[in-house]
Amino acid sequence: MTEAGPHRLRDLLGHRRQATAAALLGMLLLLSASVPTLPVALNRITTIAYAIEAGRHQPGWRGGGIPYSWGGGHSERPGPSLGTCQGYTGAILPCPATRTLGLDCSGLARWVYHLAYGRDVLGPGNTDDHVKRLKRIPAAMARPGDLVFYGKIGKRKVSTHHVGVYVGQGKMINARRTGTEVRIDRVAALDDLAGYFRYAGAL
């Protein structure tokens, strides 16, 4: 091999690396252009909801699966708390809520949004109170991070009984009922879907 051989080989390899890098960059740009970017708030909400469902440590929770507790999550500060037996209609008797540190459905939504926004944007109250603070979104425009409510929502009367954090692909993260932990369910698991709702406030 002549002395010029190694230099030519290095040049050829260099050109190939550049061509490969350019091709990879083009593919990444194409993929990023074809995937819609979610608003920052909705991305944050979804990330937090998945972390809670997975049992990861969060402010106010040391980690592990979070049990359902009727009235849980409705203390002065959002987050897992002991529940109440007032109005309890669950199948497990006697009512375990007053000795169960956990969340009910609206307590979960309140805590997730509190962690995402850095303040208690949903505030105290149940699903009826929360839905009144949100903007209704057509199902076709629903995005991960929105809230999905169940029950009846009319112009004059609101009567809801469940809420979940929508995570896309027809699924939600929710606190379903006594005896379960925060988990992923299909939106269609309950047959009285009232609609998708979004918090319109800024971060």
Side-chain angles (χ1 to χ4, degrees):
M1 182 179 287
T2 63
E3 191 172 331
H7 294 293
R8 184 171 179 178
L9 182 59
R10 279 197 298 271
D11 290 342
L12 285 171
L13 289 172
H15 288 310
R16 282 185 183 174
R17 288 194 192 100
Q18 289 176 2
T20 302
L24 287 171
L25 180 60
M27 287 174 64
L28 286 172
L29 289 172
L30 183 64
L31 285 170
S32 63
S34 64
V35 177
T37 303
L38 293 174
V40 172
L42 296 186
N43 271 327
R44 189 176 298 177
I45 292 164
T46 307
T47 300
I48 291 168
Y50 270 118
I52 290 171
E53 187 274 332
R56 296 190 192 120
H57 167 79
Q58 299 293 326
W61 183 252
R62 65 185 180 279
I66 301 180
Y68 181 96
S69 181
W70 176 263
H74 296 287
S75 292
E76 184 176 343
R77 183 174 176 81
S81 68
L82 293 175
T84 177
C85 287
Q86 184 177 355
Y88 175 78
T89 58
I92 297 177
L93 297 174
C95 165
T98 54
R99 58 183 186 276
T100 303
L101 186 68
L103 299 164
D104 67 9
C105 63
S106 54
L108 169 64
R110 181 190 181 197
W111 188 40
V112 169
Y113 271 57
H114 171 75
L115 292 174
Y117 283 89
R119 59 189 187 278
D120 189 12
V121 296
L122 294 184
N126 58 22
T127 54
D128 288 350
D129 299 307
H130 287 175
V131 77
K132 293 173 185 175
R133 300 175 185 135
L134 304 168
K135 178 182 177 182
R136 189 171 196 142
I137 301 296
M141 295 178 63
R143 298 290 181 267
D146 290 333
L147 294 178
V148 55
F149 284 82
Y150 296 83
K152 294 181 179 179
I153 301 174
K155 291 182 179 179
R156 296 185 179 180
K157 186 177 180 182
V158 173
S159 180
T160 57
H161 63 88
H162 191 64
V163 62
V165 180
Y166 183 58
V167 293
Q169 298 183 326
K171 297 179 181 179
M172 64 176 171
I173 292 175
N174 67 144
R176 184 72 177 275
R177 59 175 176 264
T178 302
T180 68
E181 295 181 345
V182 172
R183 68 187 196 184
I184 299 174
D185 281 313
R186 298 202 64 78
V187 170
L190 286 78
D191 59 8
D192 58 347
L193 173 65
Y196 296 85
F197 290 78
R198 184 175 299 168
Y199 177 70
L203 282 169

